[in-house]
Amino acid sequence: MWRIVYSLISAAIVLVVAASAQAGQVDRLYVIDCGSAHAADQSLWSPGINAGVPIDLSDNCYLIHHSSESYLLWDTGITDRLAALPGGQYVEATRQTWRRTQTLVGALAALGVKPADVRYVAISHFHPDHTGNVDEFPDATVIMQKREWDFAMALPQKPFSPEHKALLIEGDKDVFGDGSLVLISTPGHTPGHQSLLVKLPKTGTVLLTGDAVHFKDNWDNRRVPGFNTDKDQTIASMQRIADFLAKEQAKLWINHDKPSNDALRHPPEFYE
Ligand SMILES: [Zn+2]
């Protein structure tokens, strides 16, 4: 009798575990071109290395669909206003020219997605090439590390409306509670920088860097840009990312690394 009860209990446990594992998943990820930059001197990101050598940067937004019928947008790129400036905009402080060939809102519309369809806008950090279009999504909840929000909203020039609906987190956060999308705290580039782990059923797990690292070469050599807020934290965050990659057997997708982004699929193609 007890043996039957035990086997019934363990069968029930197996069912519960199976059900929770199927609770939800990411079924689609689009890599959207959210701007590009031409920079005169790549040693801005690698002090003492490649001084005076120009470099081109990609800048992505990632539109992620979860099976709960929710869209999460990871970063929003540089402002859509640049799409109206064919020559782009030169930024003297960093000797970069920023361009946009399409707007984010237009790129989403081409996929049949309206701003109101986006439930969460998760932000790696407050810099303008990541937060340029947050205010285009007034109905979405912004997810940011509390430290980053507090730092950014204390600046004279706020990255977006401080009135925006927001979920402010401290540390890692499993967004849907099923392990499919996990924000991981990777400070150092900025005080509350974060990265995103995405579990794709067919593609496998990918880790979206934000700006925890900018280029593959910097990743391979653990180089830290001179303008990061904390060098030791940056190195520790890179190690944390390396540990996640090993544990999750994940691929690293570096947002600003143009050669590796050129090799990715772009809309209307997607990853699943
Ligand atoms: Zn950036």
Side-chain angles (χ1 to χ4, degrees), residues 144-153 160 162 164 166 168:
M144 232 165 134
Q145 293 288 326
K146 185 176 183 305
R147 276 193 76 170
E148 189 76 0
W149 176 281
D150 290 346
F151 181 83
M153 292 308 178
F160 52 87
H164 212 294
L168 302 181

Side-chain angles (χ1 to χ4, degrees), residues 129-130 211 256:
D129 52 322
H130 301 260
D211 285 1
H256 288 306

Side-chain angles (χ1 to χ4, degrees), residues 45 57-59 75 98 124-125 127-130 189 210-211 214 255-256:
W45 294 273
L57 288 76
S58 51
D59 189 23
D75 281 343
W98 280 90
S124 62
H125 66 299
H127 287 167
D129 52 322
H130 301 260
H189 178 58
D211 285 1
H214 290 76
N255 175 51
H256 288 306

Side-chain angles (χ1 to χ4, degrees), residues 244-264:
F244 269 105
L245 295 182
K247 190 172 123 225
E248 308 284 342
Q249 303 202 313
K251 300 179 189 73
L252 185 67
W253 285 7
I254 303 175
N255 175 51
H256 288 306
D257 188 75
K258 187 172 186 302
S260 57
N261 278 291
D262 285 349
L264 294 179

